[in-house]
Amino acid sequence: AGCYDTVQQASAKMKAPIDKTYHPIAENVAEYEKLFEKYCVLYEYFARENKVMEFLYDNKLNVLKGETK
């Protein structure tokens, strides 16, 4: 707190420089879009409906220690 005047200044100092830019392979874009649709469905299920990710996040320290609830 107090080191930078704005969040933008702080984040500019903390972020890593961009060394490489990745571009999609043009002939694979349709396949990427199909996969992204599946990803969105899985995200909705695991993060919002099922709360699996919330459970895993809440219990990560116990899991890392080998303890479970």
Side-chain angles (χ1 to χ4, degrees):
C3 296
Y4 299 97
D5 294 330
T6 67
V7 171
Q8 291 79 9
Q9 288 175 342
S11 64
K13 291 290 184 180
M14 290 188 273
K15 70 178 182 182
I18 298 172
D19 294 331
K20 192 171 188 177
T21 302
Y22 294 89
H23 299 280
I25 300 167
E27 60 266 20
N28 294 341
V29 169
E31 204 60 36
Y32 300 150
E33 289 173 353
K34 288 181 200 174
L35 289 169
F36 185 69
E37 286 178 26
K38 298 296 183 190
Y39 166 82
C40 290
V41 169
L42 289 171
Y43 172 80
E44 287 298 321
Y45 177 74
F46 285 111
R48 297 181 191 259
E49 294 176 23
N50 190 278
K51 303 292 186 196
V52 169
M53 297 310 291
E54 183 178 320
F55 171 81
L56 292 174
Y57 180 79
D58 290 344
N59 291 286
K60 71 180 177 183
L61 293 178
N62 292 333
V63 171
L64 291 172
K65 292 179 198 174
E67 304 167 3
T68 57
K69 287 185 178 181

